[in-house]
Amino acid sequence: MRHHLILRVITKLLAGAIMLFAFYVQFHGDYSPGGGFQAGVILAVAFVLYGLVFGLPAVQAVLPPWVVHKMMALGVLVYAGTGVISLFTGYAFLDYTALNPAHPEHGQELGILWVEGGVGITVTGVMVAIYYAFAGRPPRISDEEW
Amino acid sequence: MIETAINFALFTMLVVTAIAAARIRHLFAVVMLSGAFSLLSALLLVTLDAVDVAFTEAAVGAGISTVLMLGTLALTSRREKIPSHRPTIPLIVVLVTGAAIIYGTLDMPNFGSANSPAQTGVAAEYIERSPHEIGVPNIVTAILASYRGYDTLGETGVVFTAGVGVLMLISGLRTRRRREDEEDDDEAEEAG
């Protein structure tokens, strides 16, 4: 894609905006549509777009595969860890009241924030990992055939 | 009235897209049509006021899936093979299944009916309780992350499992380990 100047410039402009939108969807999920799943996918899309235009080595220099693989597990651990915290403070698993017993509502909001964060990390990791896995295989057909 | 017209137009486009995707043998076009199909479904979900679901459908169905299918296409053939058998039996199976599904919808409550199980079940309780129990204005988020926290943990686990499955099948992690041992790239061998 080296000769597609417009695609390259637009991608550079868009990638940051897409990431910003992903974080908006992630952290504004309490008030507007969206949450960890959607934000994770959108954040992954920024990397996928960058990879499509600039090639796999360029995007893997930004986000190495080993980081992506750790993200996949980290998100689930953050989610389950939130539940374990509430277990250890004497509440039911994933009862976010435990995070702030004096103000249950604040505890709930904090719990939802952490849990959605975990979902977002895992979804980003999985989506980017799947993209790397597909794009990293040597193609059977050449570009000219398209 | 206007909503009926929008629904009618969207469903017509959905059916046209589906028929076109089934008939075209050029797989690149089929992938693009499946992306358009997802986007149309997302629009339908918006007209149903299910914005959260529409959001997911647009991001996953029209965005990531299309890219992944293009990636798959790069690894396989880009034209569908001409089927060697006649389409009579598959057609009968599809027609019978479709008729059964349509017959099944006859028992379903009318669209937007106040007596439907979706309205009379726990939904009313969620709407009533979530503002002072959770304090999060978006009830969908409150249900997803708090009331149904177990389900969402399971869903995250499913996403994680899917990722691990893909990595184990096609990522070439084994290749990477071998490469670390040999300290040189064996991509030529891999391509062969």
Side-chain angles (χ1 to χ4, degrees), chain B residues 10 14 16 42 49 52 64 83 89 92 97-98 100 106-108 118-119 129 138 151 153 158 169 177 179 182 192:
Chain B
L10 284 177
L14 210 57
V16 170
D49 282 342
D52 281 273
I64 286 273
I89 295 175
I92 292 172
T97 316
L106 295 179
D107 277 346
M108 282 175 72
Q119 316 291 342
R129 281 169 51 180
N138 185 357
D151 293 10
L153 178 58
V158 168
L169 285 173
R177 197 174 300 138
R179 196 172 295 163
E182 294 173 3

Side-chain angles (χ1 to χ4, degrees), chain A residues 21 25 28-38 41-42 44-45 48 52 65-66 69 72-76 79-80 92-94 96 104-106 108-109 111-112 115-116 118-119 122-123 126-127 129-131 133-141 145-146, chain B residues 26 28 51-53 55-56 59-60 63-64 67-68 70-78 131-139 141-142 144-146 148-153 155-157 159-164 166-167 169-173 176 187 190-191:
Chain A
F21 183 60
V25 171
H28 211 259
D30 296 359
Y31 300 93
S32 58
F37 283 101
Q38 293 89 337
V41 172
I42 294 170
V45 160
V48 169
L52 281 177
W66 67 268
H69 297 158
M72 288 169 53
L74 179 70
V76 182
Y79 199 133
F93 187 62
L94 289 175
Y96 312 133
E105 276 188 27
H106 293 178
Q108 292 284 347
E109 281 182 29
I112 289 175
V115 158
E116 292 274 18
V119 172
T122 290
V123 171
V126 168
M127 291 298 165
I130 293 178
Y131 168 68
F134 273 90
R137 290 178 72 86
R140 267 185 53 204
I141 51 176
E145 273 187 77
W146 290 87
Chain B
H26 196 279
F28 184 75
V51 222
D52 281 273
V53 193
F55 204 163
T56 319
V60 179
I64 286 273
V67 172
L68 291 183
L70 284 178
T72 318
L73 215 53
L75 303 177
T76 58
S77 165
R78 68 205 164 90
H132 59 90
E133 273 189 2
I134 313 288
V136 167
N138 185 357
I139 297 178
T141 301
L144 187 99
S146 189
R148 300 281 180 91
Y150 278 45
D151 293 10
T152 312
L153 178 58
E155 281 169 31
T156 316
V159 172
F160 173 71
T161 316
V164 170
V166 168
L167 284 186
L169 285 173
I170 65 166
S171 81
L173 277 182
R176 195 186 65 180
E187 270 170 1
E190 208 178 301

Side-chain angles (χ1 to χ4, degrees), chain A residues 79-99, chain B residues 150 153:
Chain A
Y79 199 133
T82 311
V84 172
I85 290 175
S86 60
L87 267 188
F88 273 105
T89 42
Y91 287 83
F93 187 62
L94 289 175
D95 184 351
Y96 312 133
T97 311
L99 300 174
Chain B
Y150 278 45
L153 178 58

